[in-house]
Structure formats: structure tokens, C-alpha cells
Amino acid sequence: MNTCTLLSLYLIVSVNGQYQISDITGVGRQFDGIGGLSGGGATSKLLVSYPEPQRSHILDLLFKPQYGAALQILKVEIGGDAQTTDGSESSHMHTENEENYNRGYEWWLMKEAKMRNPNIALWGLPWAFPGWVGDYGSTPYKNITKAANYIVNWVKGARDVHNLTIDFIGIWNERTWDNSYILELRSVLNQNQLQSVKIVAPDSIEFYPLDYTGFTQNASVFNALHAIGVHYPGTQLPENTRMSSLPLWSSEDYSTFNDDVGAGCWARILNQNYVNGNMTSTIAWNLITSYYSGLPYPRNGLMDAMQPWTGSYVVQDPIWVTAHTTHFTNVGWHYLKHGSGSGLLRGGGSYVSLTDGQNLTIIIETMSHDHSICVRPKLPAYIVIAQNITFTVLGSFYGIPKLYVYKTQFRYDNQSSQVFEKQDDYTIIDHTINLQVEPDCVYTLSTVYSPDRVQENSIPAPQPFPLPYSENFDTYDMDNEPKYLAQQNGAWEIVKTSTESFARQKTISRPIEWCPAPLPGTSAVIGDSSWQALPINVSIKVRSPAVNGARKLFVALKMSGLGCQAHFTSGIFLWLMPNTTTYSISYDLYSLTTVKSGQLSAPISFDTWHSISLSTMGNTMSAQINADYISAPFTGSTMGGFVGIGSSDYGYSDWDDLMIYEVPEIVSSIPTTKPTTLPTTTQSTTSPPTQPTTSPTPTVTQSTGSPGASCPTAGRPKLSTTFAILALILIAKLW
Ligand SMILES: *[C@@H]1O[C@H](CO)[C@@H](O)[C@H](O)[C@H]1NC(C)=O
Ligand SMILES: *[C@@H]1O[C@H](CO)[C@@H](O)[C@H](O)[C@H]1NC(C)=O
Ligand SMILES: *[C@@H]1O[C@H](CO)[C@@H](O)[C@H](O)[C@H]1NC(C)=O
Ligand SMILES: *[C@@H]1O[C@H](CO)[C@@H](O)[C@H](O)[C@H]1NC(C)=O
Ligand SMILES: *[C@@H]1O[C@H](CO)[C@@H](O)[C@H](O)[C@H]1NC(C)=O
Ligand SMILES: *[C@@H]1O[C@H](CO)[C@@H](O)[C@H](O)[C@H]1NC(C)=O
Ligand SMILES: *[C@@H]1O[C@H](CO)[C@@H](O)[C@H](O)[C@H]1NC(C)=O
Ligand SMILES: *[C@@H]1O[C@H](CO)[C@@H](O)[C@H](O)[C@H]1NC(C)=O
Ligand SMILES: *[C@@H]1O[C@H](CO)[C@@H](O)[C@H](O)[C@H]1NC(C)=O
């Protein structure tokens, strides 16, 4: 017998363990629920625009009890008008003198969640704040009363406008905390009869070891807090915190690519946050990948829904890992103590037991190291092997005759994984449960029954972003956030007047940013991160700086490298400077290097609409600003990217009639003889009132195989009829 065999024999003998499931000496900590985070930032952006019935089905998969993830907590960002990872979310108070509780999609999401599960807890947390909250400095703690009032307004808006009861409120995501602010927030909540709204803090990102003695040893702060929330604890907390009598929560965790290794990460931390760290609630960043692919942290949600134009979505396995706990527990149940229902398994992995005094739920996970790595922190080495485990059931559970059994096994050996599959019921004989468990499994044994996993209805196939695309912003209500236009910094909202409807960027001063490096100004993107050569048209209305108009606006193609790292944002940026009647072109968002610039023939007057177009074709980029044509060799990055709009500073900018054309295959076959007749084009009825009337006569090609042949005509006849001609005009011009 060689040493290897000896070693494995030794392991087999030693790992088979006996464990007690008992409440004889009492129970452990209260279970506070598993949740998902919408925000930090703009992670649910695309979901709200989904068609039915897919949108309802996705919401069911997230929130409906005993259906999909069946989340017990929904945590949302309190928008602060600034980039907070995958975009910006709008504040309810862009300025000190206004309040609006109809912006963005978090209100909608919270209502949809409550509709499906009235017991779901709601939680709000700010990442960024409008500049005025901090007197235009970089911290919200300059005047703690002002900051507390701002947050309490959001809680009141939820109640008064949406009939939503907020359960938890945080302080400042992953940034410094200030005990005086916590006390002030508690006091302002109480003054507003919001005693029931509990404060969770600090939502800190620093890794183990952490020092929360400022919370646990200061009696007033301790009393003002409901729970200590930490991010990415790696299932550990320092000893002095772990023993605190405050509830301990992993208030943001996971953040891992949602394949089966991500699902393994999620399974491991859901159990081990309690086993190793005494943490009783875990929140996944993020709830759902509903932001464009090409933005930071792709597929870091419990599932994916990035295709509102088709309704396509993917139910990833973290949904079913969540189900292993949430289908069989309720907030308010208790974990069993370490050593009498919860602990590590001798052969690797962990088990937790939860009870309401009568029902019993046992969750076992045996995730191997390499198949459960989370994005952070580093996971120390360990091994998991197949093992036999024996549970002796005592105390209140002594007489339980049988348990329902559900199993997940992720496989990496070309056999198909088993995901949340109901097994035969387990009959308990002699108060003993014997199980043979293998690595990379999750088992739930429970007195609570859950129906079989829902089968997917036919999910529409994914398709690229639909082209040609046009948006005239007419079909929205006032204050809506335009669909598909993913604001990256600042806040775009619909403005409706008696004659027109358009999108306005409404952030007029630098927010208290969450991103470490200051962002240059406002921006929003739309489309597809792989787009190369596309012609786009858009109308811009510039407002005077005297009424908070932005001074320098851009239209961009091929925008990539988004998120907080705006220094890496590249693309083709066409800038307009109305104050000097000039334009410039840069390949970066900070406009550090100007590749072309010049004077315009006519001023860009305030408060009137101006037509802009921009395109690339081969090695040439071309632009039109009213009657001026610009053309230059393109020498920038070959990376694809989004269409973008924005400004180099904070201030109002108005946008309308955005059109993104297909690159017609016809390009290669444009005839060499060019007729010179101007085609009659139908103007959109919502066209800007002051379209420039003079424009050079375009050269037009007539051709078979119109690029407009594939235009979606439904609902947009007025534009679709002109797409082919317009695209051809443009192509011909650029030619
Ligand atoms: C702080 O903000 C409150 C509420 O907006 C205001 O009443 C108070 O005057 C401010 N304090 C200072 C020192 O500016
Ligand atoms: C507000 O919500 C509660 C449940 O939280 C419900 O009982 C009540 O009817 C709702 N009120 C209105 C006006 O919808
Ligand atoms: C508790 O914290 C508050 C706010 O920082 C502070 O004013 C107070 O002095 C502290 N109390 C003690 C006993 O340290
Ligand atoms: C915290 O966890 C340890 C095991 O890591 C356990 O012994 C202890 O009882 C727990 N304390 C509380 C208060 O839950
Ligand atoms: C727990 O057990 C009680 C009594 O057996 C039962 O009525 C109740 O529905 C159970 N709870 C859950 C969540 O299944
Ligand atoms: C577990 O028990 C079964 C049945 O007694 C046995 O065949 C198997 O070898 C055991 N596995 C381990 C890892 O001990
Ligand atoms: C899985 O199948 C692929 C192709 O059939 C093969 O290349 C690979 O080696 C297999 N992997 C394992 C672990 O069996
Ligand atoms: C789009 O831009 C092209 C080129 O500037 C222009 O000829 C055309 O009229 C524009 N289309 C609309 C609908 O404004
Ligand atoms: C025009 O606006 C730009 C951008 O804000 C600014 O840098 C420049 O100083 C302004 N020029 C004049 C002449 O006002």
C-alpha cells in the first residue's frame, strides 16, 4: 500500500462526521434574510423596459415566494446623480428646492417586489449625493442635518407617493462613516415618526480585520443602530465584532460572474457567513444583470436580463442556490447554534440549520475551493472530499418523521449539473439522518415543502440592439428616464411642453461623487459595446450658462471603457462650444488630445435646436453641425463602443430625435454616378421647431437592396419611410 492510498484511507475514515441538530441549549442568532441589490449603480436599468410577459416572469423569478430566488430583502440605491459603477441613478432632489419621487426605476421595482411578497423588507442606501447636500464639497457630512433631511425625504417620498414602507436605511456606501451623522439620522427619522425605520451601517468595504468598537462601545451609537453591515467579509469578522449583540450582516457580497463557480461562491458564503462570521443576512450585488454588456462587472447578477428589445433573459444558477435557503425559511426564524445545528463539515463544506420553533431546515454546502471562488477577498486554500455525515436530531426536532430533500450538484466532468432538484423524501429513523455527500453540492432538508422548480417558458432568442433605431422621446410621461439611454453620470429625464417632448440632462453641479477619481461631466450611452462604424443624428438644444446650461456638449461614437474609470473612456467625441462658435474632436472623454478643431460658420444659438450628425467610414470620420461639414482621417482606437451624448461640465443640455442608422451593406456597392436631386424627406412632426433651413445639396444614390428594408415600421411610420433615403444620403455624403 503506497502513501497515497494510506492518506486517502485516513481521510475517508476521519471525515465521516457526526453532528447534532438540537435546540436543547437554545437557538442561535435570528435569521434576517437573503437579498439582492439593485443599484450601485444602475444595475436594473434595462429591466423596466422589458416587454410582457417576460418582465413579469423575471420579477416572479426574483421575488415570488417559493418560486425562483424568492428574495427576502430588496436593497436599492438612493440615486445621487453620479456614476456608481454601471451608471448613475437620479436623485429625488437634484437641487435643494425641488423634490420628485417619480424618477428612475427603483420605486417601480420596490412596488413590483412588494406586490409579489408583501413581507419583503426594503432597504435604501446612498452611494453619491447631489452637490448641494454637502455644500458643494466632497462629503455629505459637512452639515449632517442637511444630509439626514435629504435621506429622510426619500423615506417619506416612498411612503407618501408610493405607499412603500422602508425598513432599513444606510449611511454612505463604502465610504467613511461619522457617528454624529448616524445619531442625527436617527434623530431626524424619529422627529418624522419614522422610528420603525432601522439604521444599518457602515456598509464598509475594508477587509478583515475591521474595528467597529466605535459602534459597539459607544452606547448612543449602539442604540441608534439596528445592525452592523459589512461588505465582502470573506465570511469572517474580527473577534470583537463577531461577539457583538448587534445583528451582523454581510450587506453587500457576491459580485462574481454568475456561472456555476459564481453560484458556488454564493452557496458557500450564504452558509459560511453565519458559520464563520455570525452574519445573519447576506445581500447579493447585484440583484440582476440588467445593464448593457460592455459595462463593468458583466454578469454579476443572480440572473441576466440585458435584452429589453427581445425579452430574452437567462436564469442563472445563483437564483436556484438562493432558493435552497429562501424557499425553506422566513425572516425571524433562528439559526441553530454552532455545534448544535451549524458548523463546518469535517470533509470540507458547511451546514446550517434554521427553525421557527417547529419547522426545521438544514442547508449543506460542499463547494470546493476552485469551484466557489468569489471576486473578493482572496480565498485561502482548503479541500472538500466526498463524505458521509450523520445528523442526530434532538430537542424540538426529536419527533420529526421525514424531511423534504432538494439537491444541487455542479459538475465539471462533462456530466450535466443537477440544479435545485427535488429528491425522494428522507424518512428519519432513530432520530438519525445519514447522508453521502459529494463535493460541489448544495442539499436542503426541510419540514417545509417547496414545489418543483419552475420550467422555463419559451424565452425569446437574443438579438443585437435593433437598428435602425430612432427615439423622439414622445411616448413618455414627464420625468421618466428614457429607456435604453443608460446614464453614466448625471440624470436624463423627459421634459414635456405644450409643443414638444425631449430628454434633458438635469444635474447642474458636481455631485458628491462615489467614484474615486472625479468624472469630467455628464454622459449617457446607448446601443451596443461592439458598434464600430455607425452614422447617428441627434438634435441638441443648448441653454445659456446664465440659466445653468452646460457649456460644452458632445456626441460620441465607439464609447468604451465606461464606469468609474472615466480616464480610460475612449471613442470619437465631437464637442460643441457655443460660447466660441467652435467644435473639436477628441478620442477621449476628458478631451486631453484634440485631433481636429475649428470654427463654425454660424453661432450655436441658445434655446433653439441644432442638428448634429456623426459617423465613421473606414479611415474617415465625418460630422455635420447644422450647415457645417467636417471630415478628418480617423486614427483612434479600433475598439467598438456605444453611441454617447453628454457634456464636459454639469449643466442642462437638451436632446431630441436621436437616430442611429444601420451600416448598410450597400456601402460597398454605391454607384459611381451620383444623381444630384434632393429627395423629399418627411420631417418628424416632433422635429425641432428651428431646424436649420439651409443645408448643402446632398448627393443621393438610388439603389436596389435598400438598407431600410429591415426597418421596423410598426408605430414609427413617419420615420421609417425616410430611413432608407436618409441613410443613403448620409453614406453618399461621407463617401
Ligand atoms: C444645516 O442644514 C440645516 C437644514 O438644511 C439648516 O437649517 C442649517 O442652517 C444648516 N447649518 C449650517 C451651519 O449651515
Ligand atoms: C398601502 O399599503 C398597505 C400594505 O402595506 C395596504 O394595506 C394599503 O391598503 C395601501 N394603501 C393604499 C392607499 O394603497
Ligand atoms: C459617542 O459618539 C458620539 C458621536 O460621535 C459622540 O458625540 C459621543 O461623545 C460618543 N460617546 C462616547 C461615550 O464616546
Ligand atoms: C459567534 O460565532 C462563534 C463561532 O465562530 C460561536 O462560538 C459564538 O457562539 C457566536 N456568537 C454569537 C453571539 O452568535
Ligand atoms: C411551520 O410549521 C407550522 C406548524 O407545523 C406550519 O403551520 C407552518 O406553515 C410552517 N411554516 C412554514 C414556513 O412552512
Ligand atoms: C459512505 O457510506 C457508504 C455506505 O455505507 C459507503 O459505501 C461509502 O464508502 C462511504 N463513503 C465514505 C466517503 O466514507
Ligand atoms: C469534456 O468533453 C470535451 C469534448 O467532448 C473534452 O475535450 C474534454 O476533455 C472533456 N472533459 C472531461 C473533464 O471529461
Ligand atoms: C441626419 O443627418 C443628415 C446629415 O447631416 C441630414 O442630411 C439629415 O437630414 C438628418 N436627418 C434628420 C431626420 O434630421
Ligand atoms: C467657453 O467655454 C469653455 C468650456 O466651458 C471654457 O473653457 C471657455 O473659457 C469659454 N470661453 C469663453 C470665451 O467664454
Side-chain angles (χ1 to χ4, degrees):
M1 213 180 261
N2 63 30
T3 33
C4 209
T5 320
L6 269 176
L7 181 64
S8 36
L9 259 186
Y10 167 76
L11 285 172
I12 288 167
V13 173
S14 67
V15 298
N16 293 330
Q18 298 227 0
Y19 312 90
Q20 266 189 19
I21 307 284
S22 169
D23 61 353
I24 286 173
T25 63
V27 293
R29 288 176 178 244
Q30 177 176 306
F31 170 66
D32 296 315
I34 295 176
L37 216 173
S38 170
T43 55
S44 302
K45 166 67 192 176
L46 300 173
L47 179 61
V48 64
S49 308
Y50 258 69
E52 293 293 357
Q54 286 84 15
R55 191 174 77 167
S56 290
H57 192 209
I58 294 165
L59 292 162
D60 288 348
L61 281 158
L62 296 174
F63 302 119
K64 195 171 155 185
Q66 290 204 319
Y67 188 76
L71 293 169
Q72 294 152 327
I73 302 173
L74 172 59
K75 184 173 177 179
V76 303
E77 175 172 353
I78 300 175
D81 292 347
Q83 170 65 258
T84 54
T85 297
D86 284 295
S88 54
E89 300 195 26
S90 298
S91 169
H92 54 288
M93 296 178 77
H94 295 314
T95 62
E96 192 160 6
N97 306 319
E98 58 108 50
E99 288 176 66
N100 185 305
Y101 300 93
N102 290 309
R103 294 175 181 149
Y105 33 83
E106 302 295 5
W107 306 113
W108 164 81
L109 186 64
M110 287 190 279
K111 284 189 279 190
E112 293 290 330
K114 274 282 181 196
M115 217 186 290
R116 287 166 174 79
N117 177 5
N119 294 323
I120 196 167
L122 300 178
W123 182 347
L125 173 67
W127 269 244
F129 299 78
W132 65 266
V133 175
D135 292 342
Y136 306 99
S138 58
T139 164
Y141 303 137
K142 176 114 187 279
N143 177 340
I144 55 175
T145 309
K146 207 185 243 191
N149 286 342
Y150 168 75
I151 293 300
V152 172
N153 281 345
W154 184 88
V155 176
K156 287 157 71 180
R159 180 192 63 194
D160 301 340
V161 179
H162 299 284
N163 193 28
L164 288 168
T165 303
I166 301 300
D167 298 280
F168 307 114
I169 199 87
I171 51 168
W172 191 14
N173 182 71
E174 295 177 4
R175 292 295 175 263
T176 56
W177 63 88
D178 178 320
N179 281 343
S180 310
Y181 173 67
I182 293 172
L183 297 180
E184 183 68 7
L185 179 59
R186 183 70 270 157
S187 148
V188 176
L189 284 166
N190 293 352
Q191 284 158 27
N192 285 276
Q193 282 72 53
L194 293 166
Q195 282 84 355
S196 60
V197 182
K198 296 164 180 156
I199 300 177
V200 182
D203 283 299
S204 52
I205 184 75
E206 297 93 326
F207 301 132
Y208 179 84
L210 297 155
D211 183 8
Y212 297 114
T213 46
F215 286 0
T216 52
Q217 288 171 15
N218 180 314
S220 24
V221 175
F222 182 95
N223 288 329
L225 285 177
H226 173 70
I228 295 180
V230 305
H231 293 190
Y232 306 99
T235 79
Q236 308 276 345
L237 283 178
E239 187 70 12
N240 61 4
T241 308
R242 206 174 70 224
M243 294 306 162
S244 169
S245 61
L246 284 171
L248 307 171
W249 294 356
S250 180
S251 49
E252 184 183 317
D253 217 326
Y254 177 60
S255 184
T256 297
F257 192 77
N258 62 20
D259 60 8
D260 284 352
V261 173
C265 150
W266 185 229
R268 181 173 53 76
I269 63 181
L270 284 183
N271 264 20
Q272 295 197 20
N273 276 341
Y274 177 70
V275 171
N276 301 330
N278 293 4
M279 287 172 275
T280 56
S281 171
T282 299
I283 306 293
W285 189 88
N286 51 65
L287 172 71
I288 185 166
T289 311
S290 232
Y291 41 101
Y292 285 114
S293 66
L295 294 178
Y297 299 97
R299 279 181 57 186
N300 273 221
L302 298 175
M303 63 177 284
D304 302 328
M306 305 174 250
Q307 288 254 321
W309 47 90
T310 60
S312 188
Y313 60 92
V314 185
V315 190
Q316 302 290 1
D317 287 339
I319 290 282
W320 303 114
V321 165
T322 317
H324 269 284
T325 299
T326 56
H327 288 207
F328 309 96
T329 57
N330 280 316
V331 170
W333 284 32
H334 282 78
Y335 282 101
L336 292 183
K337 287 181 177 172
H338 293 79
S340 49
S342 304
L344 295 171
L345 294 169
R346 291 177 70 188
S350 66
Y351 65 105
V352 294
S353 304
L354 298 105
T355 185
D356 63 353
Q358 284 176 308
N359 299 292
L360 173 68
T361 294
I362 305 167
I363 305 140
I364 300 160
E365 63 76 26
T366 55
M367 292 302 151
S368 62
H369 179 273
D370 291 359
H371 297 153
S372 70
I373 292 176
C374 308
V375 76
R376 66 180 80 86
K378 191 170 159 48
L379 181 62
Y382 66 87
I383 56 162
V384 178
I385 54 175
Q387 56 197 299
N388 287 341
I389 57 187
T390 304
F391 292 119
T392 309
V393 183
L394 302 170
S396 305
F397 319 115
Y398 190 76
I400 293 175
K402 67 159 194 177
L403 294 169
Y404 300 108
V405 183
Y406 301 79
K407 179 181 176 185
T408 290
Q409 179 164 25
F410 296 124
R411 304 203 68 135
Y412 297 88
D413 56 0
N414 281 354
Q415 297 192 50
S416 48
S417 294
Q418 241 181 300
V419 181
F420 195 61
E421 285 183 5
K422 191 169 181 313
Q423 312 289 297
D424 292 339
D425 297 351
Y426 188 92
T427 303
I428 303 180
I429 298 166
D430 289 338
H431 325 294
T432 301
I433 302 166
N434 286 304
L435 290 176
Q436 286 178 251
V437 303
E438 294 187 67
D440 294 323
C441 290
V442 190
Y443 298 85
T444 300
L445 290 81
S446 183
T447 56
V448 177
Y449 170 81
S450 181
D452 277 342
R453 178 151 74 93
V454 287
Q455 292 308 310
E456 294 317 308
N457 299 328
S458 55
I459 298 174
Q463 296 285 340
F465 189 93
L467 287 178
Y469 179 78
S470 72
E471 172 61 278
N472 60 15
F473 305 106
D474 285 358
T475 59
Y476 298 85
D477 291 332
M478 188 83 173
D479 305 320
N480 280 181
E481 190 174 313
K483 71 174 185 180
Y484 304 175
L485 187 68
Q487 56 193 39
Q488 294 298 298
N489 201 32
W492 269 259
E493 281 155 29
I494 301 300
V495 172
K496 285 179 114 71
T497 68
S498 54
T499 53
E500 54 183 0
S501 180
F502 57 89
R504 169 170 290 172
Q505 195 297 115
K506 283 200 169 170
T507 305
I508 57 170
S509 61
R510 178 170 296 282
I512 299 170
E513 290 173 297
W514 182 77
C515 293
L519 292 153
T522 72
S523 64
V525 299
I526 185 166
D528 191 309
S529 62
S530 69
W531 278 346
Q532 284 285 350
L534 285 177
I536 66 164
N537 280 32
V538 68
S539 299
I540 297 182
K541 187 163 68 179
V542 185
R543 311 211 67 212
S544 158
V547 292
N548 293 313
R551 287 161 193 271
K552 184 174 170 184
L553 275 55
F554 76 81
V555 174
L557 294 176
K558 286 157 67 87
M559 250 180 104
S560 70
L562 300 162
C564 279
Q565 305 292 320
H567 278 103
F568 298 116
T569 307
S570 67
I572 302 173
F573 298 84
L574 170 67
W575 300 90
L576 298 189
M577 285 76 79
N579 63 348
T580 50
T581 316
T582 54
Y583 75 89
S584 68
I585 297 176
S586 68
Y587 296 146
D588 70 294
L589 184 55
Y590 284 80
S591 225
L592 297 176
T593 312
T594 297
V595 291
K596 184 160 173 92
S597 61
Q599 202 69 31
L600 296 168
S601 61
I604 302 170
S605 48
F606 293 133
D607 296 322
T608 59
W609 290 103
H610 302 278
S611 316
I612 313 292
S613 64
L614 180 64
S615 65
T616 53
M617 186 69 56
N619 296 326
T620 305
M621 52 193 180
S622 308
Q624 185 189 358
I625 302 165
N626 294 329
D628 290 298
Y629 287 86
I630 299 150
S631 177
F634 173 63
T635 55
S637 163
T638 55
M639 270 202 301
F642 296 98
V643 165
I645 58 176
S647 59
S648 74
D649 55 347
Y650 293 92
Y652 294 124
S653 58
D654 295 347
W655 306 84
D656 205 352
D657 291 319
L658 172 65
M659 294 183 217
I660 307 170
Y661 300 98
E662 256 171 317
V663 180
E665 284 159 33
I666 198 90
V667 166
S668 55
S669 61
I670 284 182
T672 45
T673 53
K674 298 174 177 180
T676 51
T677 45
L678 183 67
T680 49
T681 58
T682 20
Q683 286 293 336
S684 147
T685 49
T686 58
S687 278
T690 51
Q691 291 282 1
T693 48
T694 56
S695 78
T697 304
T699 48
V700 179
T701 58
Q702 298 295 336
S703 164
T704 56
S706 154
S710 63
C711 289
T713 50
R716 307 304 303 252
K718 61 183 178 180
L719 291 174
S720 62
T721 50
T722 62
F723 266 126
I725 301 162
L726 290 173
L728 281 173
I729 294 169
L730 203 67
I731 297 307
K733 260 183 206 152
L734 303 175
W735 188 248

